[in-house]
Each structure stands twice: as C-alpha cells, then as structure tokens.
Amino acid sequence: MTFDYFELSEQFDKIEEKLGHLKGNELAWDYLVAARDQLGGFAAPGDDYMPVNLWLEDCKFPVPGNEVDPTRWFEFTFWVPFDTIRDHPNPEELGAANAQYMKDVAKGALEAWNNGASWASGLASYCRQVSDSFTRANAATICNALEDLHTYVTSDFSVNVLDDPFGIETIRTQWTGKSGTHFNTFYANYDGQVAQMAWASVQVAQTFAAAAHVIHGTQQGVLEFAKSIVKIIDQQLEAWAPYGPPPRDAPEQPAWVADVTKIVTSGWKVLGHVPVVKDVKSQFDAVITAGTDVSNFVKTIADVTGTDLPTLKKTLDAADSDEIYKLLTETLYDDYQQKYVDAMDSLRNGSSIDPDDSGYEPPVNTSDVLGDLPPPWFPREDMPSEESLR
Amino acid sequence: MSDEIYVPIVKIYTAARQGIPDQAEDLALIGGRLASIVDTLDVQAAKAGEPAALRDALTIAARVHDGIRRGITTLNHAAVALELTGDDYVATDTQARDEFDQWGGALKNVEVTRTAVPGDIGSPEAPGAVTDVTIGFGLHYPTYVTPSDYDPTSPSEDKGDRDETASDDSDDLGLPHDPTDDY
C-alpha cells in the first residue's frame, strides 16, 4: 500500500476541526456552569429572598451532525431580595435585567464554543511538523533507486580486468621506466579499487534500504493512527447527548498505535548484515551477492501494510479534548517521531533500538563503514598526465 | 623518452586505442548512472530529515563517484601514455615500424580517445538537495528541496501555547454582569 501524504494531511485537518468542536462543547458547557454558579446557586442566600427561575433558551452548540442543545439542563435562579421588589417603582424592570442576562449567557456560550476552534487552531500544522521527518520521503522511490543502484552500479563493476583480450597484463609487466611503473602500479591495484567501490555501493544500498523500511513502516502506522484518532473524536462528539451533558466515559476503542521499534527490527533482521570483508578483491562475488540480497529485500518493503503491523496498546483515561490532544501529540512525538529518529540514529552508531532484544544489532553502522573506507580511490599520481608526457 | 616497452606494437596501440578506453567508458557509464541515483537519494534524504546515517551513506556514494572520476582520468592518462610510448617505439625501432606498416587493423588510423569524465556531484551529504524539476516540453529548472524537520517542537511546548490562547480567549470573553449584584 502506497503511503498517501495528502490522505494523512487530510486526517490531521479533520482532527483539528473535530477536536475544536469537542473543545468548543466543553468550553461552552463550562461557561454555562460558571454563569449559573455566578448567580449563587440553588440555595437562598438568606430568608428575605425570592427565587426567580429562568430556563436557558436559544443556545445550541453547532457541531455538524451532532448538535448539542443544553437548554433543558440549564435553569438559572436569580435571588431577589423582597425589599428590592417592594421598593422598586417598577418591579418588572428587574425581570427584564434577568432576561437580558439569560440572553447574554446564551450568546456568551456560543462565543465560548467558537473558542474551541481557536484553541485547536494550528493543530494540524503542528501534527504535520511533528511527522515531517518521516512522512515526506517516499519509500518506493528509494527502493526503485536502490534496485537501479544494484543493477547499474554494483553489478556493473567488473574485476579481473587483466584477463582482457587487449594484453594489458602483458604490457603491465613488459613496460619499464617511469610511465611503465605507474601503469603497473595502477593496474596492480585496479581490481581491488573496483571491488572497494562495489563494496561501498552495497553499504550505501544497505543503509538506504534499512531507512526505507523505517520510513515505510512508520508511514503505514501513522495513517492508521490518525484515522483511529478521528474515530475516537467522532465517538466522543456523538456521546454528547443532543441535550447534554458531557460524556463521562472514555471511548472503549483504544487508539491504533503501531509499534515502530518492532516493525523496524523485524524488517532489519530479514535484511541481515553485509559481510565485513577484509580483502574485498578476493571476495568480489560475495560483495555482489550481498548487493543482490539488499536488492531483493527492497522489493519486499512495500508488502508491509497497515493491518500487518505490530501495535502498542494505548487507551484513554478520560473523554475530553485535553486527553485526546495529549494522546494524539504525545503518541505522534514519542511513539512515531522519536522512534523514527532512534531507528535512523542507530544506523549510524550501531546501537540496538529494541530493549527486549539485547543481542540485536542494526544492519549497518555507517560510522564504521566511513572509517573503513580507504581514501581516496585511484590516486591521480598513479599515472603521469598527458601534458607531462608531451 | 626513457621508457622501454617489449610488447608488439599492434598490442600497444590496440590497448591504448580500444582496451583502456573501453574500461574508461564502462566506468563512465556507471558514474553517470550513479550520479542520477545519488540525486534521487539526496532528495529523499532531505525529505527524511537528513538523518546522519543517510548523510554518511551519501558521503560514501560521493566517494565512489569521485573514485570513478579519478579512475577515468587515470585511464585516459594511461591510454595517452601508452599511445605516446607506442609512437616513440615506432619512431625508434625498425621492427616496430615494420609491424606497424604491415598492420591492417581498423584501429590503425584511429586517434586515442579520451573518455569524458562525469561531472562532479559535489557534496550530496550537505543539508537539503538541489534537483532538476522537469516542467514539460524538455524544460527543467533546479529546485531546492528543504530538509524535513528532524527535531520538532515538543508536545508540552505546543500544549502550553495552546492553553495560553484558551486562557486569553476565556478572559476576553468573561461572564455577563450579574444583575443580582445591583439588587
């Protein structure tokens, strides 16, 4: 299954919008509770007060498809002192002030609801930022390039050049003097140099193959995860009864979180290690075979799809937007981005990324490979330049 | 020229004009393909956030490419050196001149060729990547691919900013004036 960045990006947009709605419900609900509590609650402040009860009207939280009408839940009690009523020239005005309060509260609750979107604003961009490192690269493009690397570079290097029909071997041994000596040195080292280049090309392929596996596995996982978060928010929006109140229970369905470490190590074990060869010249065939193994491995990377992946258990403790936000961002950061970084970093330092598997080593250690590279190939001074000969 | 060579002149010219250039051509072909593969991998490494391991791998690939370029240069020098030595041999040795005169091979009148050395691919391990984007009709222009964010803002920092916004919004909104305060 090819990873579609735009599909993921769309899920992040949905999450921002829906989580904004959920937060809006919570903010508006809290606002209504605060406005009601401000009046002093249901208990009379003293003996000489008369309660005036008014129900909230015309207040709906406009969640598309899951509108919430809290009016049946909110009865407000205005405690008016008897003295005030008795002394007021026109007691009806007192009622008007209370009614105005109710209208202002209904209006304020809607504004509070809209602040949910303001709270969530930029969340999709943040999610894109957190997942930037592992979602932009294309594993299939890398894999195709690695197959080309094997076909057109590694396996195209040829050794035993001295067996050629052009008599270079004879010339090499029968040419004396300065040029002849250079010629001899150059060809004496030729096969070894070419074999080194083939070996180094396999190391490049090995590193990128291991990386492509990490990229692909993480990308598959993150899309499933984002979809599961959208589902969880939808469930919570539905759980808000049409007449309130907020849901108390966390969603039963846990978030779908890929176990990136397990995905990575299981693939890398298949990839194996490129044999460390001290004398690559005599083991040129082994080098090419190692290249073929890498090339075969990259053909299988795309087979790992969402449903095959090992997962982590992540359940929610609460049902509100803050908890879902935490689950979303911390999982994206800790269980995807940081695991991705750990996996990529381990390819450089050779340290294990799986705490459960102490004997496991990543398939490549690029610091060591760089250290093992003989610098530089084919020194220019092996042959005098044309100009120096004329 | 102080060099001496004890090989039939035809062998010398054949190696200089065909054998060695063929080897150089083989390397040049590999070099050209490697350059295009490295270009692809460089772009992908940038998009993957430039992990150090991939930068190392690109360094290794660039060294291979550099090795190929040096190999071709040296092979070119070798072919020319051999050709000049052959010329010298023909000019100074009767037997060599006779052999040359009797030679009827297709390579007899061929100039020694120098294989074009593939262009330097620079430092693909450097941050970002420059690649050609084709826009159709054979037109293309270089585009810089920015590295992805390998070290994003932590959730706690983002959450802090978000909660601050919510708190400001809530303060701005406030509650309506409580009418019972006036009674």
Side-chain angles (χ1 to χ4, degrees):
Chain A
M1 193 166 70
T2 315
F3 170 70
D4 183 348
Y5 176 80
F6 294 100
E7 196 182 350
L8 176 70
S9 190
E10 203 178 79
Q11 299 297 322
F12 287 155
D13 287 335
K14 274 190 198 170
I15 288 172
E16 176 177 321
E17 191 190 3
K18 287 168 186 282
L19 203 57
H21 294 160
L22 189 61
K23 183 74 173 179
N25 284 356
E26 291 160 12
L27 290 173
W29 191 269
D30 290 349
Y31 180 87
L32 290 172
V33 170
R36 190 182 58 191
D37 291 353
Q38 176 179 247
L39 299 177
F42 298 112
D47 293 339
D48 301 329
Y49 286 83
M50 187 184 96
V52 176
N53 292 329
L54 292 175
W55 282 92
L56 179 68
E57 286 178 348
D58 293 333
C59 183
K60 280 182 182 164
F61 307 163
V63 181
N66 285 300
E67 205 171 63
V68 178
D69 181 351
T71 53
R72 286 198 200 168
W73 273 85
F74 285 96
E75 187 182 27
F76 287 60
T77 305
F78 298 84
W79 293 100
V80 189
F82 285 121
D83 291 353
T84 308
I85 300 171
R86 207 167 32 235
D87 299 345
H88 204 282
N90 189 0
E92 277 182 15
E93 281 176 15
L94 298 172
N98 296 343
Q100 185 58 45
Y101 183 78
M102 294 307 290
K103 279 187 181 155
D104 290 345
V105 166
K107 197 168 149 245
L110 275 183
E111 279 181 48
W113 189 86
N114 283 319
N115 283 342
S118 152
W119 172 84
S121 164
L123 180 57
S125 301
Y126 176 64
C127 290
R128 281 187 277 268
Q129 189 211 351
V130 172
S131 49
D132 198 39
S133 56
F134 58 91
T135 54
R136 281 177 67 213
N138 186 325
T141 304
I142 297 175
C143 291
N144 289 338
L146 296 184
E147 287 190 51
D148 284 351
L149 181 63
H150 183 65
T151 310
Y152 299 116
V153 178
T154 310
S155 352
D156 256 9
F157 281 121
S158 45
V159 290
N160 299 325
V161 72
L162 298 181
D163 296 342
D164 78 313
F166 299 107
I168 287 170
E169 172 66 353
T170 318
I171 295 168
R172 186 169 85 86
T173 53
Q174 300 296 318
W175 189 2
T176 63
K178 200 175 163 200
S179 294
T181 308
H182 286 309
F183 191 86
N184 187 9
T185 310
F186 173 71
Y187 273 110
N189 292 310
Y190 191 88
D191 278 0
Q193 303 284 321
V194 166
Q196 282 288 1
M197 292 200 287
W199 177 79
S201 302
V202 174
Q203 297 292 352
V204 172
Q206 176 85 349
T207 310
F208 271 94
H213 186 265
V214 181
I215 291 164
H216 179 78
T218 323
Q219 288 178 347
Q220 294 298 315
V222 76
L223 185 56
E224 292 292 325
F225 168 66
K227 283 180 181 171
S228 78
I229 292 288
V230 171
K231 215 180 272 176
I232 284 173
I233 303 172
D234 274 341
Q235 280 169 10
Q236 290 315 99
L237 287 172
E238 282 168 24
W240 272 79
Y243 296 102
R248 292 175 198 284
D249 298 330
E252 283 177 24
Q253 188 87 18
W256 193 99
V257 182
D259 188 339
V260 172
T261 303
K262 287 268 179 298
I263 297 169
V264 167
T265 50
S266 63
W268 284 358
K269 279 175 181 167
V270 177
L271 181 58
H273 291 79
V274 175
V276 179
V277 280
K278 286 282 173 225
D279 176 12
V280 288
K281 185 180 161 188
S282 65
Q283 297 188 45
F284 184 71
D285 290 346
V287 170
I288 300 296
T289 304
T292 308
D293 289 346
V294 179
S295 193
N296 287 336
F297 173 78
V298 299
K299 291 189 180 98
T300 67
I301 287 179
D303 297 344
V304 177
T305 59
T307 48
D308 301 338
L309 302 173
T311 56
L312 294 171
K313 263 215 157 22
K314 287 255 170 176
T315 42
L316 276 170
D317 295 333
D320 63 7
S321 55
D322 275 4
E323 277 294 319
I324 296 174
Y325 168 90
K326 250 179 87 167
L327 174 74
L328 166 71
T329 56
E330 287 180 2
T331 303
L332 261 188
Y333 188 82
D334 295 336
D335 296 305
Y336 285 92
Q337 209 274 338
Q338 293 291 303
K339 293 282 166 59
Y340 171 83
V341 166
D342 286 350
M344 288 298 192
D345 287 354
S346 77
L347 293 176
R348 182 183 223 197
N349 54 36
S351 63
S352 174
I353 52 166
D354 188 355
D356 299 337
D357 192 349
S358 57
Y360 173 69
E361 278 179 23
V364 68
N365 177 331
T366 59
S367 305
D368 283 356
V369 176
L370 263 181
D372 288 346
L373 277 187
W377 288 284
F378 295 132
R380 289 180 202 283
E381 53 272 20
D382 270 6
M383 286 301 299
S385 70
E386 185 180 341
E387 290 68 32
S388 71
L389 288 167
R390 295 251 182 222
Chain B
M1 204 177 280
S2 62
D3 288 17
E4 296 289 338
I5 194 159
Y6 308 100
V7 179
I9 189 66
V10 174
K11 259 190 186 289
I12 291 172
Y13 279 132
T14 306
R17 295 172 184 183
Q18 185 173 354
I20 297 171
D22 276 1
Q23 290 171 355
E25 283 296 334
D26 283 352
L27 279 187
L29 194 62
I30 294 174
R33 281 165 165 166
L34 178 60
S36 131
I37 291 163
V38 169
D39 186 61
T40 303
L41 295 180
D42 187 15
V43 170
Q44 292 302 318
K47 289 184 172 179
E50 304 275 5
L54 297 190
R55 276 189 278 125
D56 282 351
L58 288 170
T59 303
I60 297 165
R63 285 198 199 167
V64 172
H65 194 263
D66 201 33
I68 289 171
R69 296 177 73 237
R70 282 165 178 258
I72 295 165
T73 305
T74 312
L75 286 166
N76 280 342
H77 290 164
V80 171
L82 196 56
E83 173 84 9
L84 293 177
T85 305
D87 292 350
D88 189 57
Y89 196 21
V90 171
T92 56
D93 186 284
T94 320
Q95 193 191 341
R97 187 166 51 244
D98 289 348
E99 279 174 18
F100 181 73
D101 289 342
Q102 287 159 24
W103 185 26
L107 291 171
K108 186 173 182 182
N109 297 313
V110 170
E111 287 272 313
V112 64
T113 53
R114 288 171 203 82
T115 301
V117 179
D120 188 0
I121 58 169
S123 306
E125 73 278 12
V130 178
T131 189
D132 266 355
V133 171
T134 305
I135 51 171
F137 308 108
L139 295 173
H140 51 88
Y141 59 94
T143 305
Y144 179 68
V145 180
T146 50
S148 294
D149 197 337
Y150 201 61
D151 186 18
T153 313
S154 73
S156 58
E157 207 175 312
D158 179 74
K159 182 75 163 54
D161 294 348
R162 215 164 279 287
D163 288 345
E164 210 171 300
T165 308
S167 167
D168 289 350
D169 284 348
S170 167
D171 290 348
D172 290 349
L173 176 58
L175 288 172
H177 174 65
D178 177 359
T180 61
D181 284 350
D182 303 333
Y183 302 148

